[in-house]
Each structure stands twice: as C-alpha cells, then as structure tokens.
Amino acid sequence: MAGTGEEAVPSGQMQSGHGVDAGKLEQHFEETIARDRRIEPRDWMPEAYRKTMIRQIAQHAHSEIIGMQPEGNWVTRAPSLRRKAILLAKVQDEAGHGLYLYSAAETLGADRADLTNRLITGTQKYSSIFNYPTLTFADVGVIGWLVDGAAICNQVPLCRSSYGPYARAMIRICKEESFHQRQGYELLLTMMGGSQVQREMVQDATNRWWWPSLMMFGPPDAESPNTEQSMRWRIKRHTNDDLRQRFVDMSVPQAEVLGVTLPDPQLRWNDARGHYDFGQPDWAEFKRVIAGDGPCNAQRIANRRAAHEGGAWVREAAAAHAAKQAARAAQREAVA
Amino acid sequence: MTSTGEAVPTEVGQARSNWPLFEVFLRSKRGLNHVHVGSLHAADATMALHHARDLYTRRNEGVSIWVVKAADITASSPDEKDPFFAPSGDKVYRHPTFYDIPDSVPHI
C-alpha cells in the first residue's frame, strides 16, 4: 500500500505497535478473543501469546515430522502391496501435517531453518509418544487406532484455536487423521481375524502403546501450570484430564469390538460419573522420556539430523539451478 | 527467529534459508475462486508449484494452483478498524435492503 510506510508481507512478519497506545492494542486483542474471533498474523498480539503459539505450533510440527519414523520403519516390510501403499500415504500425510504447521509458525515470525535447527539440536521438544519403538507390524495398526485416536481427541478442539492460521491447519489435519485412525483399526480387525499368533501380536502392541497414548494428553491438570492462561487465550479448549477421559471413554468400546484387553486393572465403568474410571500412567516415565531418556530419543533425532544434513546438497543444487535459470531468463529479456 | 522474519543463518539451515517463501492459492473446482491455503519454501516458482501439488492437493483438493512469492504481495494494514476501509462504512445505500419497496410489487 503506497504512502503508508507499511511493508507488505503476508507471512512471517509482525506489527510492533510502536507509537500506538499499547493498552488500546491489548484491549482490542482481548476483545477479539472474548468474541471468539480469530487472531490473524499481522494483528497486534502480546509477546507472550506470540511466544506460546510459536512454541505450541513448532512442537506440534516437530511431532508430525518425527512421527514419520516409527511407522516408516515398517514401509519396506509391509505384508502386502495394499498395506504398503496405505502406510506410504499415511507417512506422507505426517510430513504434510508438519509442513502445514511450520507454515503456520512462520506467520508468527518464526524462521523455518531455525525451527529445524531447534529440532535436531534438541532445544525444542516433540511428543514423547514417538520415542517408543515399533516392534511388530501390529504396532502400525495400534498407532493408527490409539496414537492417532488420541491425536484426534487433542486436535479437534484446536480447530477452534484463537490463532487463525493454526486453526485452519488443524482443520486440514483433522480431516486426514480420520483416515489414519480407520486404516489402523481396520488393520487390527484383520489381524484379530487371523491366527492366534497374530491376535497375540495385537494384544502385545496394545499393552505397550496404551499407557504412552494416555500420556499424550500431558501431565495431570494439577501439574499443568500453563493450562489456565492457554484456556483464557483460547489456544487450549479443554484440560488435559478432560481430554484423557474423553479418549478412554471412546477407546473402551473400540477395544471390546476388537477383542483386546486394555492393560489397566483399574479400568471400569462408573455409573455415577457416567465415565470410565482408569489408572494413571507412570508419570515418572513420562518425565524421563520428555527429558530425553526414552527408548528411541537419540535414534529419532540422529535420523532426522542425518536426513537433513544428507539433503543439504539437494537444497544447494536446487538453489543454484534456480539462480542459473533466473540469470538466463534475465539475459533473454535483455536481448529481446 | 527475528522480528523481521528474516532467515537466521545457522550452520545446518543456511542453504534452506535461501529458498524464498511462496504463498499458495488453490481453485478447488471449476466455478470457484482460488483461495489461499498456506505457504511453502521452494527454490523457484516451478518447484513451488510441484511442492504445492504434493502438499496441498493429495486428495483432489485442487484443479488449479497459483504460487506467488510472499515478498511480492502488497497488503493493506492488518487492523480491521483501519480507516482504509472507512469509505465503504457509511454507504448503506449500496445495499438492496436500504430501499423500501411495497410488498405488493412482485419480483424485486
């Protein structure tokens, strides 16, 4: 827009709010949120909101990117061409989800290369669930059923996040997650209709993934100090414990249809509450895995780092090719 | 990360930082406008189109894609109360509901 001194950059730039009454800007921001309207990239926003959103979106993006590895482990050993095609499509979706989210983080001023660097140097986290190994092909099914099922519980409310680009990315992601969960459940149904060994594989995978899946909702509410602020900003719509309960209530009947037992002796229907009672995951283990001491933390980061560094020559070659083409086009234009 | 959104030179990220940011617009089917769906990095416009296809149309979401360098977009100021839009605020007579027409008049 000429004459305003306003630079036009739709993504990756921010308003400083210099020279304007900061109190008024904050009031406008708060009112926008209170009316359940979305905050858009170039709106004024409190620094803490921006920082929190960048951290939340970046961690989510990293989780999708690292999330390709546990299942990617089985692509070459999928038992049929059908399962391999499905698994490839799913892993490709995870990459896509990571990219939608990095794109959303960049609208807040985050830099893509910096985010990648933070992931491979371990200075930003990703979901602890992806630090567990995939031991058999049944794990592919259980990840679709439980891990993606838990992700859906977490993500559906985020489609109404107050930050517009994040909410829009989540709508796209949730549509695709539904395929992920259903392919996993169907895979398990197929295995449960197979041999005794296959049924045991499904039960074993369920036993190993159930508790880490419950951990995906984060620590209990009493130990989640940021929840209140996040709910006020409408970047979180339900507490960790509420979402965990919702997930348990959804999963129990699904386990029954499948014919597997969920590995929780305290799991039973509570008529008074109208919900299932259930036991708590091992929160000490959760903290250990988050801190870097899970079964696969080092391997996941090493793989990501190797892929990134191994791809450097491709990125450089593409940039060199683009520069050459641009130079030639300029030359042609000069001659013509 | 900097407040200007400029790339931070880092040892592992430098090459990628040279890839400009493109905004992606999709026409989901004939008869509809192109709509902004997100952004991506690519070395040039051709690569941006290929990446946009892989990233934003894995399930037939589009029949046509536009990509444009983010830096080439000129935008109005972000504030929705901006005086830039004031000229249309007080012209209610531009809307059909401004005019009272008797109920007995058909098809209007």
Side-chain angles (χ1 to χ4, degrees):
Chain A
M1 198 166 70
T4 62
E6 173 77 43
E7 277 175 17
V9 179
S11 295
Q13 203 146 21
M14 55 188 68
Q15 289 295 101
S16 66
H18 286 314
V20 189
D21 182 358
K24 259 192 180 156
L25 289 170
E26 178 130 26
Q27 192 191 347
H28 183 56
F29 171 85
E30 296 287 350
E31 281 169 6
T32 304
I33 293 205
R35 282 183 304 165
D36 220 6
R37 295 269 179 91
R38 300 291 177 260
I39 303 299
E40 293 297 344
R42 298 165 75 235
D43 288 340
W44 183 92
M45 61 187 88
E47 246 345 271
Y49 178 89
R50 181 185 304 279
K51 270 193 177 153
T52 304
M53 278 322 300
I54 289 177
R55 199 192 53 205
Q56 183 180 348
I57 299 173
Q59 287 184 2
H60 193 165
H62 297 331
S63 300
E64 301 282 359
I65 295 297
I66 296 292
M68 288 190 278
Q69 290 186 38
E71 291 171 285
N73 177 37
W74 284 93
V75 167
T76 57
R77 292 169 293 159
S80 68
L81 192 55
R82 177 175 182 271
R83 292 291 172 199
K84 182 180 284 197
I86 291 169
L87 191 51
L88 270 173
K90 180 176 190 283
V91 171
Q92 191 189 8
D93 274 354
E94 307 296 0
H97 297 177
L99 294 177
Y100 304 153
L101 291 164
Y102 283 133
S103 161
E106 283 177 290
T107 65
L108 289 158
D111 175 72
R112 179 75 63 95
D114 178 53
L115 294 176
T116 301
N117 201 32
R118 282 167 191 264
L119 171 61
I120 65 182
T121 54
T123 54
Q124 259 174 353
K125 305 285 184 207
Y126 55 89
S127 178
S128 63
I129 191 82
F130 302 115
N131 290 314
Y132 291 87
T134 42
L135 302 182
T136 74
F137 196 71
D139 289 40
V140 171
V142 172
I143 286 176
W145 171 38
L146 293 179
V147 176
D148 292 318
I152 290 171
C153 275
N154 265 332
Q155 289 171 357
V156 166
L158 295 178
C159 296
R160 294 187 298 127
S161 165
S162 63
Y163 189 58
Y166 188 45
R168 293 191 285 274
M170 291 316 308
I171 289 169
R172 193 173 270 278
I173 288 173
C174 283
K175 277 185 194 162
E176 300 180 353
E177 288 288 354
S178 175
F179 143 59
H180 297 180
Q181 195 187 22
R182 289 172 68 106
Q183 67 80 34
Y185 195 80
E186 187 232 39
L187 189 164
L188 297 176
L189 274 176
T190 307
M191 285 187 83
M192 291 303 284
S195 68
Q196 184 58 30
V197 175
Q198 285 175 309
R199 280 189 288 277
E200 283 165 11
M201 279 167 69
V202 175
Q203 182 62 60
D204 170 64
T206 304
N207 293 347
R208 285 182 288 107
W209 288 97
W210 175 250
W211 294 112
S213 298
L214 290 190
M215 293 176 194
M216 286 175 69
F217 299 94
D221 293 348
E223 294 166 43
S224 179
N226 297 327
T227 292
E228 200 188 324
Q229 175 67 78
S230 294
M231 303 257 287
R232 217 166 52 76
W233 276 337
R234 305 199 183 179
I235 55 181
K236 190 169 181 172
R237 296 279 185 164
H238 306 281
T239 71
N240 297 352
D241 286 335
D242 283 350
L243 290 169
R244 195 167 8 251
Q245 179 73 62
R246 189 176 297 184
F247 173 69
V248 171
D249 290 346
M250 277 170 40
S251 299
V252 173
Q254 293 169 352
E256 280 167 8
V257 172
L258 207 51
V260 294
T261 308
L262 296 173
D264 180 357
Q266 290 171 261
L267 187 67
R268 66 179 57 83
W269 178 253
N270 183 325
D271 227 1
R273 289 203 310 126
H275 293 289
Y276 284 93
D277 290 338
F278 59 98
Q280 286 295 306
D282 179 351
W283 291 115
E285 175 185 315
F286 175 71
K287 282 179 188 147
R288 273 201 311 278
V289 177
I290 289 274
D293 195 19
C296 301
N297 295 54
Q299 181 193 334
R300 300 293 187 231
I301 292 294
N303 281 347
R304 182 70 195 92
R305 175 183 276 277
H308 183 72
E309 289 173 356
W313 71 270
V314 179
R315 294 189 293 277
E316 284 159 18
H321 177 74
K324 188 178 76 180
Q325 294 298 321
R328 281 186 185 167
Q331 209 170 23
R332 274 197 302 274
E333 209 146 282
V335 171
Chain B
M1 193 179 71
T2 70
S3 62
T4 63
E6 280 167 14
V8 178
T10 56
E11 203 184 337
V12 290
Q14 207 154 21
R16 183 56 175 276
S17 299
N18 296 331
W19 286 13
L21 187 68
F22 287 83
E23 300 293 336
V24 180
F25 300 79
L26 274 190
R27 184 200 296 288
S28 58
K29 62 179 181 184
R30 287 173 182 279
L32 296 181
N33 292 322
H34 284 76
V35 173
H36 181 246
V37 290
S39 65
L40 50 77
H41 288 272
D44 57 26
T46 309
M47 183 193 266
L49 270 183
H50 283 123
H51 283 181
R53 177 200 60 192
D54 293 344
L55 185 56
Y56 291 106
T57 64
R58 289 195 302 283
R59 291 176 175 79
N60 302 316
E61 291 96 333
V63 295
S64 166
I65 303 174
W66 290 345
V67 292
V68 57
K69 274 189 190 161
D72 289 341
I73 293 180
T74 304
S76 65
S77 120
D79 189 343
E80 62 183 272
K81 286 182 184 157
D82 195 280
F84 187 65
F85 296 104
S88 79
D90 59 355
K91 294 181 178 61
V92 285
Y93 48 84
R94 284 180 172 169
H95 297 276
T97 47
F98 179 73
Y99 302 94
D100 283 331
I101 306 286
D103 289 345
S104 55
V105 182
H107 305 305
I108 188 162

